[in-house]
Amino acid sequence: MPAKNLLTAMQVKNAPVGKHCDGSGLWLYKRADGGAQWILRVTIHGRRREMGLGSHDDVSLGEARRLAEKWRALVREGKDPIKERERLSREAARSDSRLQNVTDAAFEARKAELKGDGKAGRWLSPLELHVLPNLGKVPVEDIDQRDIETVLKPIWHTKAETARKALNRLGIVLKHGAAMGYDVDLQATLKAKALLGKTRATSTKIPALHWEQVPAFYAEIGEATVTQLALKLLILTAVRSGPLRMAEWNEIRDDVWTIPAEKMKSRKDEADDFVVPLSGEAIRLLDVVRPFERDGLVFPSIRKGPISDMAMTKMLKDRGHEFRPHGFRSSFRTWCAEATDTPDKIAEAALAHSIGTKVQRSYLRTEYFERRKVLMERWAKFVSDGGADVVRLRVKNG
């Protein structure tokens, strides 16, 4: 019979760094930092398992022995003690199977995949606005297609895109709940979609200013505020508002702005940062905005952090304009097509759009920086010189 109870309380207290056996698979692991951990070694189904029983500060020698005997008894019954402890933990957490808690767990597991670790809150917002207020306290095991239909029906046709996102993310949460061990209906969202039917809503394009009118508007913006300067740089660079609002001075060097991949939309599978060539006019604007710098941000708000995602939109609305900041990307792209001979691949690269298939991109590792640099300088000259640099392309007949 294997020896047991080999250690004394004094030996445990004064144990040097290393592993100390108490017998029958119970060990004390003493670390160099002074901490110590109880470990139970067992063999189950032909493989050795090491199970933590707690730190020496929390678990005495006597308690460690009682715990070890409890789990060894399970081994004698042919059960894996680690899996059994996990099962018991899940059962103890059944009262926490409410949708809100599972949603929090799903988001925590997923946020590394999201832009900026999901700090903007856009992944969660469809659920927080339209699902959790009514179903947040309901156990995920009890949620069915009727529940989902009830909460999404009011927005299914009027806010179709939001409803679609809410349904998609609810499906992700339910799958996460299943992975946590809860007995959920993984088909609930598909059944709910069948009940809701096809949406009547149609997608609408973001209002954009015609490219020929951009120079006149650029001249009227002004340069008195951070928001005005941000909008002007947004027009010149044709980037999305998110990376621009969150731009940091350490991303800008000479005439190049390097946007980290995690700040870019749809670049999760592409590890490279996006490099933006800065025109002379863009550099001039950066010199103007430099005195506003705070906490390393190029465009800080008057309170804390960067300017809000509605700052530029509000400025346009206040001036009576219907077009939106994001629409200037369309203005730029249409200018490329109608007023220049720019190849599509260069224009698309300037907008940070993926070119070709994923396989093609893995071989063609270029973003045409030098050619984009020429293009963006020409765009800046057109915008800031009042549209003087316009050469319309003539389409040949036949």
Side-chain angles (χ1 to χ4, degrees), residues 204-388:
T204 57
K205 294 181 179 179
I206 296 175
L209 183 64
H210 192 280
W211 63 267
E212 290 182 319
Q213 297 175 295
V214 172
F217 173 72
Y218 185 85
E220 79 171 48
I221 294 175
E223 299 179 3
T225 68
V226 170
T227 300
Q228 291 172 343
L229 291 164
L231 183 59
K232 295 189 84 167
L233 193 66
L234 182 86
I235 294 171
L236 292 175
T237 57
V239 300
R240 293 181 173 88
S241 61
L244 182 117
R245 290 189 305 103
M246 295 183 287
E248 300 175 44
W249 283 107
N250 60 17
E251 297 169 1
I252 298 170
R253 183 163 184 163
D254 298 326
D255 61 349
V256 175
W257 172 23
T258 303
I259 304 176
E262 61 268 21
K263 289 185 179 181
M264 295 294 294
K265 180 180 180 182
S266 302
R267 293 178 78 86
K268 299 183 183 71
D269 61 340
E270 301 173 29
D272 295 338
D273 301 334
F274 182 62
V275 181
V276 180
L278 296 172
S279 62
E281 173 68 0
I283 293 171
R284 183 191 70 78
L285 285 178
L286 289 171
D287 288 338
V288 175
V289 80
R290 172 71 77 167
F292 293 97
E293 185 271 339
R294 188 175 68 250
D295 298 328
L297 294 169
V298 179
F299 300 108
S301 70
I302 59 174
R303 296 180 180 84
K304 186 178 180 181
I307 58 173
S308 77
D309 58 354
M310 289 301 293
M312 289 182 282
T313 298
K314 183 178 184 302
M315 189 185 83
L316 292 176
K317 286 183 177 180
D318 289 347
R319 295 187 180 196
H321 298 301
E322 294 184 358
F323 51 86
R324 296 293 173 258
H326 190 82
F328 286 106
R329 285 168 58 82
S330 177
S331 304
F332 166 76
R333 185 63 181 88
T334 308
W335 170 82
C336 288
E338 296 185 354
T340 78
D341 56 357
T342 304
D344 286 346
K345 61 186 179 182
I346 307 301
E348 291 298 302
L351 293 171
H353 287 165
S354 296
I355 305 169
T357 66
K358 187 174 182 180
V359 173
Q360 289 171 329
R361 292 196 301 274
S362 69
Y363 288 97
L364 184 63
R365 298 180 182 179
T366 178
E367 290 187 338
Y368 305 103
F369 178 79
E370 292 301 327
R371 296 175 73 177
R372 287 194 292 118
K373 184 176 181 179
V374 173
L375 175 64
M376 301 316 291
E377 188 66 54
R378 185 175 178 185
W379 168 245
K381 181 174 175 58
F382 163 71
V383 169
S384 60
D385 285 0

Side-chain angles (χ1 to χ4, degrees), residues 33 55 85 90 116 120 145 183 189 192 197 208 221 260 283 305-306 313 349 369:
D33 63 6
S55 71
R85 182 167 64 180
R90 288 195 300 269
Q145 63 270 25
D183 184 19
T189 52
I221 294 175
I283 293 171
T313 298
F369 178 79

